[in-house]
Amino acid sequence: AQDAGDYTCDSGDQQTTASLQVKGLPALFKQWLKNEEVEEGRTAVLRCELTQPHARVEWRKGDTVLQPGDKYEFRQEGTRVELLIYEAEAQDA
């Protein structure tokens, strides 16, 4: 919140100062994930959309936090977020 900080109104003879705090809005889902089906060996794509651009997201399979690499790619453009799963196999379901 780059607008947060101290602001002063100065009349020349007097001045008054106040502090402004800006609370970030939560990132809510505009479009939820949908169930997908993909043929074995193909790339699966899961996508959703948020109300806030560039919100921090975490991808999980069950309780496991996914990390980007050869298997998983994360894409985020504005409010749109995608998970690509390369060479999908039965264990990825």
Side-chain angles (χ1 to χ4, degrees):
Q2 62 189 18
D3 293 322
D6 293 334
Y7 288 84
T8 301
C9 180
D10 192 330
S11 68
D13 295 326
Q14 291 184 315
Q15 65 180 26
T16 181
T17 300
S19 180
L20 174 68
Q21 294 180 351
V22 181
K23 292 183 180 180
L25 293 172
L28 304 174
F29 288 104
K30 241 169 42 172
Q31 178 186 335
W32 297 75
L33 289 176
K34 291 188 293 190
N35 295 338
E36 299 290 342
E37 230 177 78
V38 66
E39 291 181 5
E40 195 170 28
R42 300 275 188 178
T43 299
V45 181
L46 297 173
R47 56 177 60 96
C48 60
E49 192 167 353
L50 301 165
T51 55
Q52 298 293 326
H54 312 295
R56 185 181 176 282
V57 298
E58 178 179 86
W59 285 98
R60 281 181 264 156
K61 180 184 180 208
D63 292 333
T64 304
V65 176
L66 303 179
Q67 300 297 325
D70 291 340
K71 183 69 174 176
Y72 303 110
E73 181 182 346
F74 307 154
R75 291 183 183 168
Q76 191 164 1
E77 186 176 317
T79 59
R80 185 176 215 162
V81 183
E82 293 180 334
L83 167 64
L84 287 80
I85 304 169
Y86 293 106
E87 297 184 23
E89 43 196 342
Q91 67 190 28
D92 293 320

